[in-house]
Amino acid sequence: MIHELTLAAVRRKLYDFDHIPRFINCREICCVLGMAYRQAGLKLPELETGKDVMETLAALIPPIQNSPSVEECLKETLASYNKLGERIDEDAVTTLQLGYEAPGKGS
């Protein structure tokens, strides 16, 4: 249930405000990453638990940055995320998959 709440929060932040609010943790940003990979038509990326979030994003953002099928709000959110010292956990892996598989807006 908590994972679905993360997906709901991400959708609200992306689509219900004029200015995209700050994303607060790796679970939210991994959900956005999953949404972007789906829009780009790419295979769901594999995340390594315990790995640094910023290093992971640096490796996984380039394939979607130039994709015209990925919404700009997703690209901007991923590019602007900057939370040092954060590590990928199992919840982040789950929300990545939720974002990737979620129907509707943002998919």
Side-chain angles (χ1 to χ4, degrees):
M1 171 81 167
I2 193 160
H3 300 110
E4 287 81 9
L5 292 175
T6 299
L7 175 61
V10 164
R11 283 184 169 161
R12 281 204 50 140
K13 288 180 178 185
L14 289 170
Y15 304 114
D16 292 352
F17 298 95
D18 292 331
H19 180 272
I20 298 172
R22 188 170 66 91
F23 283 70
I24 61 170
N25 60 47
C26 69
R27 289 166 282 302
E28 288 184 345
I29 206 67
C30 286
C31 185
V32 173
L33 185 65
M35 295 165 85
Y37 262 72
R38 178 180 176 148
Q39 287 183 5
L42 299 171
K43 180 180 156 220
L44 179 69
E46 290 188 27
L47 298 182
E48 184 180 331
T49 57
K51 189 166 182 183
D52 182 79
V53 172
M54 296 307 296
E55 289 177 19
T56 300
L57 290 177
L60 295 177
I61 289 175
I64 59 169
Q65 249 347 32
N66 295 322
S67 174
S69 58
V70 177
E71 293 173 285
E72 285 301 316
C73 63
L74 300 180
K75 292 177 187 179
E76 291 171 18
T77 298
L78 290 166
S80 68
Y81 189 76
N82 187 13
K83 194 153 187 186
L84 301 176
E86 212 175 11
R87 302 273 173 203
I88 300 291
D89 60 17
E90 288 297 326
D91 290 328
V93 174
T94 301
T95 58
L96 171 83
Q97 186 169 356
L98 265 178
Y100 189 82
E101 296 173 351
K105 194 168 191 174
S107 57

